């Protein structure tokens, strides 16, 4: 275990390029080639620019530059009411938006001290796990595409389409879900959702199985994935990497296991870990997590009991419409809640993290007692996961960038915010 | 309930062995199966996965959130009472309301009700905030225009008779008792 | 890699975390709180590197992962916000006439304390506990020692804090903007930076130009 303090901060390359000493006497020394990789490279699913210094195909130095998708999310949040920021969180990790919704709403609930109802917990777990399946399917599918395997990409996107059908039935929208609310969810599960869910997930699992047959044994895929992008667990921890990338290195750090929130302590699931920490392990961990997520969603569908999904707390949750239409108090509550003039949020601060698609997805909220957050900080896993990319690729081949970058699964929305 | 940590199993490397040839044959078998299923699947009633838009339309769930529209009552008037809650709740502030007074029993109505569709993100918060069920998310999602000015929808464009919004209103009513 | 306990660790460590932290850090802690289940300590900014080193290396704490570095612009007010801050103008009738006026940010009154607070979130991956460290940093000299030597992951997070808040991390190996471009004027997450503020248009320097637009590695080609 190397001392993390020894790790030289990879990245900035300054000064004149070094020289490559000639291998044969009599040859002239050549400066390394400078190559700009990105920002919109066809083989990366994310806008990131990597400045490379190459000697032939070998990467001598790399400088990863993020920020092309910076939209000022945190500034925007400071001028919106707490409930108005929920649609914006969809745009953080746009391949698993419900997980972002859950993270934000649970942070607000922690700040406000709301205890959500039992059914709401289950509904959130179901929606979140479906979203996680869609996220991993996209990650694996896009990586196949970028490694020039078109067929598994199409199968996996078809599988994701089936999962999106479920989310469509649940939230009314496929990507911009805006589903979770502070103290509840926007709509209860529709009728017959359990059977629909089982049918669609079975179809998706069949497609995943087919894609896996095409990938796991395929010699080309394995040659590109095995042994590339390796980094030891100690270094990954020192860089703050979480999620499947860290688990592939053998560290079973999954917030659903170590800090169970919602109902994860009542579910039966496995946390897959790898042992080598290379890209192939990251792929295998993601495939296994899809299976486990399906298992969790189905268990929740079995365990869920009828009951109210929203808290009955007139300070935070908008009352049900049948009461708004018929009773005066609730009508007044509705006005007060929408207008948020009276500052119901207690002053203080709270940090809450959930296990997002790529790792620890945390929100740090500071309230000054008004209806708007004084500060809303997003701890997106992608930023910390992208940081050691330079260390993973330096000293390797140019072609190893693609599988490494794909398996880190950088999502510009949550990395650059 | 038990949460276990499980090592993922990686199949033995096959790069040089004869099994790598087998893996390729297995892969070809998968693709062939999909090809045959897609070509002749219609005999067994397999549904096409491709939707031939715009001749065919995707069948959306009742929960679908399209563009926000105003509900028109039978008497041709809007149900909106210009309370302004949707304007407050809208995160992108794309709704603009100017209230006016009327002699009928609702007393107030919006003289101007504009939605800037270039900024609207179909989030549905206006519908949730409305205490009168006067603004609902329709099933209309095709709202492209030839000019930018065309994306500013006025009250007359936004009014949709209640009978055409049945699916959404029924869905909303099913959620009332949450 | 050492063996990790495969069953979920206890939710409540036997002696509360804060006692261990106080025993390890001693004089370095200015004050400490427990708020909504989160432990928080305040440290003077000169001591942050020393405190971080102790927190990472003491066996009972072993905060080996730096989750997050960020800052808060308190405008000199105390952390607890015992007042109603008039942060945003909420004048909706004006908002109707002047587009976006709701989003205009008004600078709240200044208090006597240092203006910024740099916030660190730590996690121990082996023992699963979290800690938040806060350091107040004054406006006149917004600088704080870096912790990149202790957690290399702090590199980008500190660059982000520098980019958005303008807090300089002394000793940082590579302190440049990370999200915004170099010519950006101001630091957008400070409370005195209006949301609709506009930036000067930069002259386009094409390829081969003498001034690269983005941080560039060295000079191109010629040697
Ligand atoms: S759907 Fe959302 S963005 Fe559009 S008008 Fe309603 S509240 Fe505003
Ligand atoms: S909330 Fe409903 S009633 Fe009030 S102004 Fe908007 S549409 Fe009209």
């Amino acid at each position: 275990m190397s001392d993390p303090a020894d790790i030289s901060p990879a990245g900035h390359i300054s000064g004149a390029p070094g020289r490559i000493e000639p291998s044969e006497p009599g040859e002239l020394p050549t400066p390394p080639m400078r190559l700009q990789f990105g920002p919109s490279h066809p083989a990366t699913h994310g806008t990131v620019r990597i400045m490379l210094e190459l000697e032939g195909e070998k990467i001598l130095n790399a400088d990863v530059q993020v920020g092309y998708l910076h939209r000022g999310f945190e500034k925007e949040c400071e001028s919106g009411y707490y409930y108005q920021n929920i649609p914006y969180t969809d745009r953080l990790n746009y391949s698993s938006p419900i997980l972002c919704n859950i993270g934000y709403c649970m942070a607000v609930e922690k700040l406000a001290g709301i205890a959500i109802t039992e059914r709401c917990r289950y509904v959130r777990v179901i929606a979140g796990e479906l979203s996680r399946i869609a996220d991993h399917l996209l990650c694996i599918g896009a990586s196949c595409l970028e490694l020039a395997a078109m067929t598994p990409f199409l199968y996996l996107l078809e599988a994701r389409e089936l999962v999106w059908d479920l989310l469509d039935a649940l939230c009314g929208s496929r990507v911009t879900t805006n589903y979770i609310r502070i103290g509840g969810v926007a709509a209860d599960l529709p009728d017959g959702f359990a059977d629909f869910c089982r049918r669609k997930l079975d179809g998706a699992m069949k497609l995943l199985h087919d894609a896996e047959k095409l990938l796991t044994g395929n010699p080309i895929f394995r040659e590109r994935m095995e042994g590339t992008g390796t980094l030891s667990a100690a270094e990954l921890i020192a860089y703050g990497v979480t999620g499947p990338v860290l688990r592939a290195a053998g560290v079973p750090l999954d917030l659903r296991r170590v800090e169970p929130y919602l109902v994860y302590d009542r579910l039966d699931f496995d946390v897959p870990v790898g042992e080598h920490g290379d890209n192939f392990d990251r792929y295998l961990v993601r495939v296994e997590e899809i299976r486990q997520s399906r298992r969790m969603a189905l268990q929740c569908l079995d365990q869920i009991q009828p009951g109210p999904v929203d808290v009955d707390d007139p300070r935070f949750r908008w009352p049900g419409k049948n009461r708004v239409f018929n009773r005066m108090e609730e009508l007044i509550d509705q006005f007060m809640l929408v207008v948020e003039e009276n500052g119901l949020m207690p002053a203080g601060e709270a940090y809450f993290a959930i296990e997002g698609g790529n790792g620890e997805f945390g929100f740090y909220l500071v309230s000054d007692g008004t209806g708007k957050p004084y500060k809303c900080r997003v701890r997106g896993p992608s930023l910390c996961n992208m940081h050691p990319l330079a260390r993973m690729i330096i000293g390797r081949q140019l072609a190893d960038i693609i599988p490494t970058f794909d398996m880190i699964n950088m999502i510009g929305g949550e990395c650059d915010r | 309930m038990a949460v276990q940590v499980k090592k993922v199993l990686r199949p033995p490397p096959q790069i040089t062995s004869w099994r790598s040839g087998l893996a390729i044959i297995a892969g070809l078998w998968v693709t062939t199966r999909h090809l045959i299923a897609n070509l002749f699947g219609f005999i067994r009633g397999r549904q096409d996965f491709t939707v031939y838009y715009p001749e065919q339309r995707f069948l959306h769930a009742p929960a679908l959130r399209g563009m926000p529209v105003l509900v028109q009552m039978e008497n041709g008037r809007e149900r909106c009472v210009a309370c302004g809650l949707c304007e407050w709740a809208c995160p992108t502030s794309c709704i603009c309301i100017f209230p006016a007074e009327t002699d009928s029993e609702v007393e107030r109505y919006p003289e101007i009700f504009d939605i800037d569709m270039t900024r609207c993100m179909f989030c549905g918060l206006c519908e949730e905030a409305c205490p009168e069920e006067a603004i609902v998310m329709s099933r209309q999602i095709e709202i492209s225009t030839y000019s930018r000015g065309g994306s500013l929808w006025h009250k007359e464009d936004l009014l949709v008779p209640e009978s055409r919004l049945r699916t959404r209103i029924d869905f909303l009513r099913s959620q009332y008792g949450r | 890699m050492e063996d990790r306990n495969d069953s979920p660790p206890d939710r409540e460590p036997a002696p509360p975390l804060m006692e261990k932290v106080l025993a390890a850090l001693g004089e370095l802690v200015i004050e400490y709180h427990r708020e909504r289940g989160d432990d928080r300590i305040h440290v003077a900014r000169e001591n942050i590197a020393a405190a971080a080193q102790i927190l990472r290396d003491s066996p009972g704490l072993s905060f080996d992962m730096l989750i997050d570095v960020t800052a808060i612009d308190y405008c000199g007010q105390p952390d607890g916000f015992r007042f109603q801050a008039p942060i945003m103008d909420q004048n909706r009738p004006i908002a109707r006439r002047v587009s976006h006026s709701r989003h205009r940010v008004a600078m709240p009154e200044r208090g006597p304390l240092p203006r910024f607070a740099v916030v660190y979130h730590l996690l121990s991956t082996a023992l699963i506990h979290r800690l938040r460290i806060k350091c107040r940093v004054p406006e006149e000299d917004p600088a704080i020692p870096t912790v990149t030597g202790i957690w290399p992951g702090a590199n980008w997070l500190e660059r982000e804090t520098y980019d958005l808040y303008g807090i300089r991390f002394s000793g940082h190996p590579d302190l440049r903007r990370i999200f915004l471009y170099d010519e950006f004027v101001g630091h957008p997450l400070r409370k005195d930076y209006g949301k609709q503020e506009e930036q000067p248009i930069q002259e386009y320097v094409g390829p081969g130009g003498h001034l690269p637009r983005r941080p560039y590695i060295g000079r191109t080609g010629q040697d």
Side-chain angles (χ1 to χ4, degrees), chain A residues 81 83-84 87-88 91 151 155 158 161 165 168-169 171-174 176-178 181 186-188 207 210 213-214 216-217 219 222-223 226 252 257 265-276 278 280-281 284 288 292 308-310 317-318 320-322 324-325 331 334-335 338-339, chain B residues 1-15 19-21 23-24 26-35 46 49 58-61 63-66 83 85-92 121-125 127-133 168 171-173 175-178:
Chain A
Y81 297 122
Y83 66 85
Q84 285 181 334
Y88 294 145
R91 280 84 174 162
T151 319
Y155 294 172
E158 188 178 335
E161 203 70 18
D165 281 350
D168 192 18
C171 328
S173 176
R174 298 151 81 80
T176 54
T177 52
N178 187 18
R181 293 285 182 280
D188 203 348
L207 286 162
D210 283 353
K213 261 193 193 160
L214 290 176
T216 311
R222 291 192 64 156
E223 275 224 56
E226 264 176 22
R257 181 183 83 97
D265 46 350
R266 286 176 233 168
L267 301 179
D268 210 356
F269 64 98
D270 299 341
V271 177
V273 294
E275 43 191 338
H276 303 79
D278 59 355
F280 196 63
D281 268 352
L284 290 174
E288 187 56 35
Q292 299 300 331
V309 284
D310 284 356
R317 181 68 187 123
W318 298 2
K321 281 287 176 65
N322 53 350
V324 172
F325 292 157
L331 185 63
Q334 174 88 358
F335 270 78
V338 174
V339 178
Chain B
M1 282 292 181
V3 184
Q4 272 118 32
V5 177
K6 171 172 150 186
K7 277 244 164 72
V8 286
L9 288 179
R10 78 165 57 187
Q14 323 169 314
I15 291 172
R19 275 187 293 168
S20 92
I24 289 175
L28 273 178
W29 165 240
V30 171
T31 38
T32 319
R33 195 154 51 76
H34 273 263
L35 175 75
R46 186 186 193 275
F49 205 77
F58 195 81
L59 220 55
H60 287 287
L64 173 76
R65 295 196 310 262
C83 67
L85 277 195
C86 51
E87 195 185 9
W88 264 104
C90 179
T92 59
M121 56 175 168
F122 296 8
C123 65
L125 284 181
E127 176 196 57
E128 225 166 292
C130 178
E132 287 288 330
E133 208 176 62
R168 182 69 189 177
F171 171 76
L172 286 181
R173 294 203 171 140
Q175 297 298 333
Y176 280 173
R178 286 189 309 246

Side-chain angles (χ1 to χ4, degrees), chain A residues 78 257 349 374 377 417, chain C residues 35 68 73 88 134 160:
Chain A
E78 288 172 12
R257 181 183 83 97
E349 56 189 42
Y374 189 79
R377 159 83 185 170
R417 299 182 289 275
Chain C
E35 184 185 333
D68 196 12
D73 184 355
M88 313 291 168
K134 266 192 184 178
E160 186 193 342

Side-chain angles (χ1 to χ4, degrees), chain A residues 122-352:
Chain A
Y122 280 104
V123 174
R124 283 185 184 185
V125 172
I126 293 169
E129 292 306 323
L130 292 178
S131 204
R132 191 188 314 275
I133 293 176
D135 186 325
H136 286 342
L137 285 173
L138 176 67
C139 169
I140 300 172
S143 324
C144 303
L145 180 70
E146 284 146 19
L147 299 177
M150 189 82 182
T151 319
F153 166 71
L154 290 176
Y155 294 172
L156 289 169
L157 278 216
E158 188 178 335
R160 185 180 72 145
E161 203 70 18
L162 296 174
V163 179
W164 269 4
D165 281 350
L166 291 169
L167 295 180
D168 192 18
L170 202 58
C171 328
S173 176
R174 298 151 81 80
V175 182
T176 54
T177 52
N178 187 18
Y179 181 57
I180 313 294
R181 293 285 182 280
I182 297 159
V185 292
D188 203 348
L189 298 180
D191 292 338
F193 185 75
D195 290 336
F196 189 51
C197 190
R198 287 199 184 92
R199 213 170 60 236
K200 290 275 179 184
L201 281 183
D202 283 351
M205 287 307 132
K206 259 185 215 142
L207 286 162
L208 175 69
H209 185 70
D210 283 353
E212 213 192 347
K213 261 193 193 160
L214 290 176
L215 292 174
T216 311
N218 188 305
I220 304 170
F221 185 73
R222 291 192 64 156
E223 275 224 56
R224 294 203 63 180
M225 295 296 237
E226 264 176 22
T228 55
T230 320
L231 212 56
S232 72
E235 270 191 70
L236 289 173
I237 288 177
Y239 273 106
V241 175
T242 45
V245 181
L246 181 61
R247 288 197 282 277
V251 184
L253 181 76
D254 185 330
L255 296 187
R256 293 171 292 173
R257 181 183 83 97
V258 297
E259 288 181 338
Y261 53 95
L262 291 174
V263 293
Y264 285 112
D265 46 350
R266 286 176 233 168
L267 301 179
D268 210 356
F269 64 98
D270 299 341
V271 177
V273 294
E275 43 191 338
H276 303 79
D278 59 355
N279 288 325
F280 196 63
D281 268 352
R282 292 173 196 157
Y283 156 79
L284 290 174
V285 164
R286 282 210 163 86
V287 171
E288 187 56 35
E289 276 190 22
I290 295 176
R291 301 238 155 82
Q292 299 300 331
S293 289
R294 165 179 174 271
R295 217 171 126 197
M296 280 182 248
L298 294 185
Q299 279 176 44
C300 284
L301 285 172
D302 290 338
Q303 292 180 15
I304 191 167
Q305 300 294 332
V309 284
D310 284 356
V311 287
D312 190 12
D313 188 339
R315 291 177 307 149
F316 297 107
R317 181 68 187 123
W318 298 2
K321 281 287 176 65
N322 53 350
R323 291 183 290 164
V324 172
F325 292 157
N326 299 327
R327 306 210 337 231
M328 198 62 208
E329 290 81 14
E330 266 84 2
L331 185 63
I332 295 169
D333 279 348
Q334 174 88 358
F335 270 78
M336 299 292 251
L337 282 169
V338 174
V339 178
E340 288 266 15
E341 284 272 72
N342 35 3
L344 297 160
M345 194 60 70
E349 56 189 42
Y351 177 82
F352 192 84

